[in-house]
Amino acid sequence: MNELSRKGLAKLHWAQEHMPALMEIRKRFSEEKPLKGLKVGMALHTEAKTGMLAVTLADGGAEIRLASCNPLSTDDSVAEALRTEYGLEVHAKKWESQDEYYCNLNSVLDMHPDFVIDDGADLIAMLHTTRKDALYNVKGANEETTTGVIRLKAMAAAGALRFPVMDVNDAKMKFLFDNRYGTGQSAFDGWMTATNLTVAGKRTVVAGYGWCGKGVAMRAKGLGAIVVVTEVDPIKAIEARMDGFEVMPMVEAVKTAR
Ligand SMILES: NC(=O)c1ccc[n+]([C@@H]2O[C@H](COP(=O)([O-])OP(=O)(O)OC[C@H]3O[C@@H](n4cnc5c(N)ncnc54)[C@H](O)[C@@H]3O)[C@@H](O)[C@H]2O)c1
């Protein structure tokens, strides 16, 4: 096993220890093979937790192709371990260019998937535009994030959506745990890694007081930042105020962020 794979495998093992529900499903899938004969095309942040999801579907008998839904978020060690240790077809690389990003999404669609697991709706959008050749085989899809769901609802309203899509973002477990708590934590993890600065004492502007915004504002406050919220929905703006945040229009708020 090469060094990169070894690192990635350790991360996958760590993730699976903390995903007991998925591991129960994996055990059942390994025995029952409910996805035998099906092809699943995935575009997700390619890291340990989504990696274990791909492994679980493969254990269920599915043929998998995985690309990233974001050119910056791939963990190359996990991608490598998924390839070498689990035999999955992974088309993702950290810092991939825009051309490489779309090339990788095309590689996923080249398998002519039965099902699509999308985050941001790029695969689904391509199936309706540049990759209509693969549309015939798609039975359904699911979409993970708020932005993707907004795109798809507009397509559905225009009568343009050609297969059913499950809106994962509307699951309570998703918007509460991922959007609010997950994004609240990972936004600061990324910010601190990128800047090597403390958050305490910094004036921080949070744009929007929806599920993500609430989590980010809560974590910013907990880390000692001085937090300003901007929000166009008057009820949420008042909620932010009652939660103890300053609320102002972005044009004023941005001047305070320093
Ligand atoms: N892990 C992640 O990185 C992650 C996870 C979930 C969602 N997201 C993304 O985060 C974004 C927010 O998702 P969410 O679930 O919190 O959505 P949401 O709909 O719950 O909240 C968005 C809020 O922004 C407000 N808003 C809209 N336009 C505004 C403007 N011009 N100025 C100020 N406020 C404005 C809306 O009124 C709403 O309250 C989406 O783009 C979503 O795709 C990222």
Side-chain angles (χ1 to χ4, degrees):
M1 191 191 310
N2 66 47
E3 192 45 36
L4 199 58
S5 286
R6 200 185 311 281
K7 269 193 196 160
L9 195 60
K11 290 178 192 173
L12 286 160
H13 284 164
W14 172 258
Q16 79 178 31
E17 274 181 44
H18 298 272
M19 302 172 85
L22 187 70
M23 288 309 107
E24 278 302 309
I25 294 169
R26 188 180 173 202
K27 214 189 301 167
R28 184 159 64 79
F29 272 20
S30 301
E31 288 158 12
E32 297 172 10
K33 303 281 179 205
L35 305 177
K36 197 167 184 307
L38 293 172
K39 294 180 280 186
V40 180
M42 310 170 78
L44 295 174
H45 297 290
T46 304
E47 49 80 63
K49 299 182 290 302
T50 51
M52 284 320 301
L53 173 64
V55 168
T56 299
L57 299 179
D59 281 352
E63 185 188 333
I64 297 292
R65 283 196 198 176
L66 171 63
S68 185
C69 63
N70 182 315
L72 309 180
S73 63
T74 298
D75 184 325
D76 287 332
S77 67
V78 168
E80 184 67 4
L82 290 171
R83 287 184 199 105
T84 63
E85 305 311 307
Y86 293 96
L88 300 191
E89 209 176 299
V90 181
H91 300 267
K93 170 179 101 183
K94 194 171 174 76
W95 302 115
E96 60 197 12
S97 67
Q98 187 157 322
D99 282 352
E100 287 170 320
Y101 173 74
Y102 283 106
C103 181
N104 286 334
L105 293 180
N106 272 310
S107 298
V108 168
L109 295 179
D110 285 345
M111 84 189 305
H112 293 195
D114 294 277
F115 292 101
V116 168
I117 297 181
D118 215 350
D119 185 343
D122 278 349
L123 280 181
I124 298 173
M126 287 165 74
L127 282 164
H128 288 78
T129 51
T130 54
R131 291 305 307 267
K132 283 185 181 154
D133 61 295
L135 191 57
Y136 74 96
N137 199 39
V138 179
K139 279 96 187 151
N142 64 34
E143 167 52 43
E144 165 113 1
T145 200
T146 316
T147 303
V149 169
I150 291 169
R151 287 171 84 177
L152 296 174
K153 281 190 173 153
M155 285 170 74
L161 197 56
R162 299 281 301 277
F163 46 77
V165 183
M166 190 185 288
D167 171 2
V168 178
N169 199 60
D170 268 2
K172 287 185 179 139
M173 294 287 279
K174 164 65 169 73
F175 61 67
L176 186 61
F177 298 134
D178 181 294
N179 298 26
R180 184 148 125 190
Y181 295 107
T183 311
Q185 174 173 320
S186 60
F188 283 97
D189 179 28
W191 190 84
M192 290 187 288
T193 306
T195 65
N196 195 25
L197 296 173
T198 51
V199 178
K202 299 287 186 301
R203 293 181 187 276
T204 306
V205 175
V206 178
Y209 204 61
W211 287 106
C212 292
K214 280 179 193 166
V216 171
M218 176 171 54
R219 294 300 173 225
K221 189 177 179 180
L223 286 164
I226 302 151
V227 185
V228 174
V229 169
T230 74
E231 176 54 74
V232 288
D233 178 324
I235 303 295
K236 289 184 184 165
I238 290 169
E239 188 183 359
R241 179 72 186 181
M242 302 293 265
D243 285 344
F245 301 111
E246 282 222 51
V247 180
M248 57 182 84
M250 179 58 90
V251 68
E252 289 171 32
V254 77
K255 291 182 203 151
T256 74
R258 60 182 186 275

